[in-house]
């Protein structure tokens, strides 16, 4: 009875929660170093935590229009509140955008390696994924997207891109807008890069920009994202979304976060500083190649041993991301944590290398 294309679909591989990881590593939660989800290692704003505890109206449905939150976001982003739509994570907005623009059989352009939710939600919505691989430097192949554009409806561009860390330059976004496709620029890591095309929203009928509270604001567990849209698209998205999609606790926490920007920007600054330190330490390991990153993670090319590295770290309670896909089989992605997490992951990588010399090395030694 199940739609056959969904019955055979692979599905998204999500992360396990920290308590499950602790059990797996035989360490307990406190012993886990979690560098697999690009989450904020400093936690959420203390004001957000208090706001959740003190909110008096959990017995009532939450604001379906998220009025207070969108008004605060208007001043945070410079985009008027009428153009801002909230999602239960930006993941929900990806899904709602596809529901709005894609009919069964329509094509959606995906530029791998990139965020796995784009092809996932496209397939769930009955769309057809057209892959236009990124170039060797992980830049978007704008000319190839242009060639694939006729007959397609939407293109997703994560900038900075997950998992590669690079920003797509504004001139590339402008060229993509020329194709007439719906161009969704996913700025989940904007606060770590400082680069945005949000000021262009409303100037182009086909530009939409997504953001989230999951990464910089430490609210991944509460699921709060938002998008900035041309006005008619915002109206349509407000109409088709689940009415009470952002729960009351999430709204209270996001509002309090936007009133605690000094604190949160302090943690962003600490993470950006630590990104530089992690990069230098990774560069000192000559057997892997870290890629420059504008986000809060670093992609490394390891070679055929990548999966073994991931497994070795897991056994030692250090969780990083490994993608079992053809393009990323030889890579690992490490989220930027606190300084002590950097020290632990570098130490473990050194131990791995001592315990498991690479093929050929054993004889050379
Ligand atoms: C993490 C991530 C998201 C998901 O954000 P949520 O708001 O937690 O759903 C979206 N896009 C990219 C590129 C991400 O890396």
């Amino acid at each position: 009875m199940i739609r056959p294309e969904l019955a055979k679909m692979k599905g998204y591989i999500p992360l396990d929660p920290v308590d499950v990881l602790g059990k797996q590593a035989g360490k307990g939660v406190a012993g886990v170093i979690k560098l697999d989800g690009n989450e904020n290692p400093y936690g959420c704003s203390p004001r957000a935590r208090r706001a959740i505890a003190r909110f008096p109206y959990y017995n009532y449905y939450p604001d379906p229009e998220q009025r207070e939150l969108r008004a605060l976001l208007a001043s945070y982003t410079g985009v008027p509140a009428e153009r801002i739509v909230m999602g239960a994570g930006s993941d929900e907005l990806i899904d709602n955008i596809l529901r709005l623009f894609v009919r069964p059989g329509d094509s959606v352009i995906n530029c791998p390696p990139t965020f796995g939710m784009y092809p996932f939600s496209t397939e769930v919505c009955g769309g057809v994924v057209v892959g236009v691989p990124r170039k060797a430097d992980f830049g978007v192949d704008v000319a190839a997207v242009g060639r694939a554009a006729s007959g397609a409806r939407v293109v997703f561009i994560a900038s900075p891109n997950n998992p590669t860390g690079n920003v797509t330059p504004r001139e590339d976004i402008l060229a993509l807008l020329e194709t007439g496709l719906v161009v969704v620029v996913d700025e989940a890591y904007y606060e770590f890069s400082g680069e945005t095309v949000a000021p262009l929203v409303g100037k182009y009928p086909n530009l939409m920009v997504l953001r989230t509270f999951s990464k910089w604001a430490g609210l991944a567990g509460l699921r709060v994202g938002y998008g900035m849209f041309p006005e008619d698209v915002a109206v349509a998205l407000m109409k088709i979304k689940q009415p009470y999609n952002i729960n009351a606790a999430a709204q209270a926490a996001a509002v309090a976060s936007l009133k605690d920007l000094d604190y949160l920007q302090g943690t962003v600054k600490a993470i950006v500083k630590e990104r530089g330190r992690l990069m230098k330490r990774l560069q000192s390991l000559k057997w892997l190649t870290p890629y420059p990153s504008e986000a809060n993670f670093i992609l490394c090319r390891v070679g055929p041993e990548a999966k073994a590295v991931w497994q070795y770290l897991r056994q030692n309670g250090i969780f990083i991301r490994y993608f079992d896909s053809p393009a990323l089989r030889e890579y690992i992605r490490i989220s930027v944590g606190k300084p002590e997490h950097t020290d632990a992951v570098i130490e473990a990588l050194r131990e791995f290398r001592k315990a498991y010399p690479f093929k050929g090395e054993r004889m050379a030694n």
Side-chain angles (χ1 to χ4, degrees):
M1 288 181 282
I2 295 171
R3 283 161 54 195
E5 70 277 17
L6 293 190
K8 68 166 194 256
M9 158 184 169
K10 262 201 296 196
Y12 185 78
I13 300 173
L15 299 167
D16 285 326
V18 69
D19 53 324
V20 172
L21 296 182
K23 265 193 203 126
Q24 277 175 15
K27 293 220 172 212
V29 176
V32 167
I33 296 180
K34 193 173 187 312
L35 303 175
D36 59 355
N38 305 336
E39 294 135 327
N40 190 322
Y42 297 97
C44 69
S45 139
R47 283 175 76 162
R49 193 173 287 282
R50 281 199 296 275
I52 295 169
R54 289 178 189 168
F55 184 78
Y57 302 122
Y58 289 124
N59 53 320
Y60 298 134
Y61 283 98
D63 181 1
E65 293 185 38
Q66 300 99 19
R67 278 159 262 230
E68 188 182 9
L69 185 48
R70 286 163 68 219
L72 285 168
L73 278 172
S75 64
Y76 179 71
T77 61
V79 170
E82 304 77 55
R83 299 212 172 134
I84 297 174
V85 179
M86 307 301 305
S90 40
D91 286 353
E92 190 195 32
L93 286 163
I94 293 166
D95 187 57
N96 283 348
I97 288 168
L98 290 165
R99 290 175 188 226
L100 189 62
F101 292 108
V102 175
R103 282 164 304 197
D106 282 348
S107 297
V108 172
I109 298 179
N110 186 47
C111 302
T114 191
F115 189 46
M117 288 301 288
Y118 312 140
F120 168 80
S121 287
T122 298
E123 289 184 41
V124 171
C125 289
V128 176
V129 180
V130 174
V132 177
R134 285 167 176 261
K135 297 180 288 189
D137 64 358
F138 296 129
V140 173
D141 191 339
V142 176
V145 173
R147 289 192 296 274
S150 82
R153 305 277 296 167
V154 181
V155 60
F156 285 99
I157 305 291
S159 180
N161 186 40
N162 176 7
T164 59
N166 57 312
V167 165
T168 296
R170 182 176 284 220
E171 55 273 23
D172 284 2
I173 301 294
L174 293 174
L176 291 168
L177 287 167
E178 293 293 315
T179 62
L181 290 164
V182 170
V183 178
V184 182
V185 181
D186 183 347
E187 296 184 350
Y189 302 96
Y190 155 68
E191 280 77 6
F192 304 103
S193 74
E195 287 190 53
T196 180
V197 292
L200 303 180
V201 170
K203 300 200 166 82
Y204 297 84
N206 53 338
L207 174 64
M208 356 227 123
V209 177
L210 303 183
R211 301 259 187 90
T212 177
F213 285 76
S214 292
K215 314 296 171 35
W216 72 287
L219 294 181
L222 286 180
R223 317 300 303 125
V224 198
Y226 62 99
M228 295 165 275
F229 302 92
E231 199 142 350
D232 56 333
V233 177
V235 168
L237 284 169
M238 288 302 281
K239 184 169 73 182
I240 69 163
K241 78 177 181 64
Q242 293 284 330
Y244 305 111
N245 59 334
I246 314 297
N247 71 64
Q251 290 195 43
V255 163
S257 298
L258 292 170
K259 293 177 177 171
D260 201 8
L261 288 178
D262 283 349
Y263 172 84
L264 286 173
Q265 281 160 357
T267 71
V268 167
K269 236 174 145 177
I271 291 165
V272 168
K273 185 170 171 219
E274 192 57 25
R275 177 178 75 200
R277 189 168 157 267
L278 176 62
M279 182 56 122
K280 282 216 185 76
R281 305 277 315 264
L282 288 168
Q283 282 167 337
S284 76
L285 306 174
K286 298 300 178 202
W287 50 278
L288 52 74
T289 309
Y291 287 81
S293 171
E294 301 286 317
N296 65 340
F297 52 82
I298 295 177
L299 184 74
C300 300
R301 182 177 193 127
V302 174
E305 318 280 338
K307 192 169 186 178
V309 170
W310 169 74
Q311 269 162 343
Y312 179 85
L313 295 192
R314 276 178 88 79
Q315 283 153 11
N316 289 280
I318 301 173
F319 296 85
I320 61 171
R321 196 83 153 115
Y322 176 72
F323 305 90
D324 218 339
S325 72
L328 291 172
R329 195 151 286 155
E330 304 204 331
Y331 295 79
I332 53 174
R333 189 195 69 194
I334 306 173
S335 303
V336 179
K338 295 178 178 177
E340 60 264 36
H341 302 149
T342 298
D343 296 343
V345 79
I346 296 292
E347 179 60 25
L349 288 169
R350 286 188 197 285
E351 279 165 13
F352 169 83
R353 178 70 168 177
K354 256 191 262 162
Y356 299 92
F358 289 2
K359 284 185 194 74
E361 239 185 22
R362 231 163 301 213
M363 287 191 299
N365 292 343

